[in-house]
Amino acid sequence: QVQLVESGGGVVQTGGSLNLSCAAVGDTICIATMGWYRQAPGKERELVATITPGEMTYFPNSMKEDAEKGRFSISRDNAKNTIFLRMNNLKPEDTAVYFCNSEGRKGERRAAGHHCEYYYWGQGTQVTVSS
């Protein structure tokens, strides 16, 4: 089994910064590309960014401008099975529950003999940006 344990959320003023962490614990051979999603009150969950084991990053179109401006960045420490989301110059509209996600290696040869799933989710960490 794999658990994704998030930390780093909290309350911050507009313009502040936060660094979210997500550590994969357990049978970590099962984890692959990891990422962050967020869900604001009354809205659907949306992708923020992903990062592959080879540290290739991806931001959806909705987040590319923020990434290019350095407001959001994603990184990964494979030795610790941990990913990070650095958020700078936070705005009230960034207020949301941030969820860590990992693709699982269910059915992959490299995970033979391991009970992997297709996806894993963390429980979420609240980020609140006050105006």
Side-chain angles (χ1 to χ4, degrees):
Q1 291 293 330
V2 173
Q3 284 188 315
L4 301 181
V5 182
E6 300 131 329
S7 62
V11 180
V12 65
Q13 291 187 332
T14 296
S17 298
L18 283 175
N19 195 31
L20 306 184
S21 300
C22 171
V25 179
D27 200 357
T28 55
I29 195 172
C30 293
I31 63 170
T33 294
M34 298 180 71
W36 292 95
Y37 287 72
R38 68 182 181 182
Q39 188 166 18
K43 295 187 177 181
E44 293 185 353
R45 191 172 298 189
E46 63 174 352
L47 175 65
V48 176
T50 64
I51 185 165
T52 68
E55 300 185 50
M56 290 183 63
T57 62
Y58 169 79
F59 292 87
N61 288 337
S62 59
M63 298 299 300
K64 283 184 178 177
E65 184 175 347
D66 286 325
E68 290 169 358
K69 290 180 178 179
R71 261 197 358 107
F72 284 77
S73 62
I74 187 170
S75 60
R76 182 170 186 148
D77 184 339
N78 284 321
K80 296 181 179 180
N81 298 303
T82 300
I83 65 168
F84 306 93
L85 184 69
R86 177 68 179 180
M87 303 183 291
N88 297 315
N89 191 23
L90 283 162
K91 304 174 181 180
E93 51 263 43
D94 295 317
T95 294
V97 179
Y98 285 70
F99 295 92
C100 180
N101 166 272
S102 176
E103 293 181 354
R105 296 192 182 276
K106 185 179 179 68
E108 293 187 24
R109 181 172 296 182
R110 73 172 70 188
H114 296 263
H115 297 288
C116 301
E117 301 295 337
Y118 287 117
Y119 289 99
Y120 299 96
W121 287 96
Q123 291 190 326
T125 185
Q126 177 71 46
V127 171
T128 302
V129 185
S130 61
S131 56

